[in-house]
Amino acid sequence: MVSIPPSQSFQTMLSAENSSAGSVVYTSLKGQILSLELPPGTLLSEKEMSTAYQVSRTPVRESFVRLAQEGLLVVLPQRGTRVSLIDPELVEEARFMREQLERAVIALACESFPEDLLAELESNLAQQKHSVFQQDGRMMFQLDEEFHRILFAGCRKLGTWNVIQQMNAHLNRSRMLWLSEDPDWASLYEQHREMVQAIRQQDGKRADALMKQHLSLIISNLSVLQQRHPDYFKPPGI
């Protein structure tokens, strides 16, 4: 069943964000796709979405177009629109790009990193520790993303981070699926903690090894996820 916020909740979001209906529908649907509330393969209807959100079809159609451009939706002629299947090749490509760029960024961070953003990393770690205790996979995912964003911000590379986000649709859903199943949350937190320690000690060699190991986790678990959820992943050769 498609999970859509009640109309009152939607109107609250619209007022609070001072945004257009299209941008709020887009944000809501994207969040549900990335969190797997709308699993890969889910069929979506413009008519049903416009009824659920109590908006015209235009903002829904605009949202569908944006999400399709990001690889999260696929338009099927005569059959409607569905949430895209996770493509293992695109998961690996996004991981490859992140590994190259994030290893470069953490090397820069070990040379120089603003103290105020180090404090933000420490605060983020404290929240991660709480999420591990609570076994809150969704919050851990958000904190993980924010941790890496802060690293890029501290190195004045937020533009690079934004480029990475354009490639992350398939990778992030794989990560979310992993975090919702048998995640080793404590190890994830510990790797982040050790990265901050390496930055403080300006230990570039240690930081590089940690980042490389950290970003290899999703690939090491990808085959297991494909076996458990074959309907979520794009079959080879298609």
Side-chain angles (χ1 to χ4, degrees):
M1 181 178 179
V2 176
S3 174
I4 298 297
S7 58
Q8 184 178 3
S9 173
F10 176 77
Q11 294 302 326
T12 300
M13 292 168 63
L14 194 59
S15 299
E17 298 182 18
N18 193 28
S19 302
S20 68
S23 65
V24 177
V25 172
Y26 162 80
T27 300
S28 175
L29 287 176
K30 183 174 182 177
Q32 290 183 83
I33 293 170
L34 291 178
S35 68
L36 304 176
E37 290 178 48
L38 292 176
T42 301
L43 285 168
L44 300 179
S45 159
E46 282 186 13
K47 182 179 179 180
E48 291 178 1
M49 292 295 104
S50 62
T51 299
Y53 282 105
Q54 295 192 349
V55 296
S56 70
R57 288 196 182 190
T58 299
V60 174
R61 188 176 302 115
E62 291 172 351
S63 301
F64 280 12
V65 169
R66 291 178 66 183
L67 292 167
Q69 290 172 341
E70 294 179 24
L72 291 172
L73 292 183
V74 176
V75 178
L76 304 170
Q78 311 303 320
R79 289 184 290 167
T81 301
R82 76 175 184 191
V83 178
S84 65
L85 298 179
I86 300 171
D87 188 332
E89 290 188 8
L90 293 179
V91 172
E92 164 53 23
E93 187 174 353
R95 184 214 59 82
F96 173 80
M97 181 177 68
R98 283 196 67 161
E99 179 181 324
Q100 305 311 308
L101 294 173
E102 296 216 33
R103 288 173 68 185
V105 161
I106 203 165
L108 291 175
C110 287
E111 295 175 4
S112 176
F113 201 82
E115 192 62 38
D116 60 328
L117 290 181
L118 270 173
E120 285 191 30
L121 288 175
E122 295 284 5
S123 175
N124 180 282
L125 284 175
Q127 294 175 73
Q128 285 187 41
K129 188 173 183 179
H130 180 70
S131 294
V132 171
F133 179 76
Q134 296 290 330
Q135 296 191 350
D136 188 339
R138 182 177 298 184
M139 180 56 67
M140 193 65 182
F141 176 85
Q142 293 172 356
L143 291 168
D144 183 25
E145 282 289 282
E146 178 63 11
F147 181 91
H148 290 268
R149 190 200 66 80
I150 295 170
L151 289 179
F152 279 78
C155 297
R156 295 173 176 255
K157 295 292 184 287
L158 277 179
T160 305
W161 174 253
N162 291 333
V163 170
I164 288 175
Q165 297 313 297
Q166 297 172 21
M167 286 283 293
N168 264 351
H170 295 267
L171 176 64
N172 279 348
R173 287 187 292 167
S174 296
R175 291 171 56 213
M176 191 66 198
L177 190 57
W178 171 63
L179 280 170
S180 68
E181 298 208 343
D182 335 282
D184 188 353
W185 289 331
S187 293
L188 190 66
Y189 160 76
E190 188 61 26
Q191 286 177 351
H192 286 148
R193 189 192 66 78
E194 290 186 27
M195 285 181 200
V196 173
Q197 185 178 55
I199 291 170
R200 286 199 176 277
Q201 296 173 351
Q202 297 187 312
D203 187 345
K205 185 176 180 179
R206 175 62 177 154
D208 179 74
L210 284 165
M211 185 63 78
K212 184 176 180 180
Q213 178 187 15
H214 183 69
L215 293 173
S216 70
L217 288 176
I218 184 57
I219 294 301
S220 65
N221 289 283
L222 187 59
S223 60
V224 175
L225 294 176
Q226 287 177 270
Q227 291 172 9
R228 290 179 181 174
H229 304 279
D231 294 342
Y232 283 9
F233 289 86
K234 181 181 178 182
I238 295 181

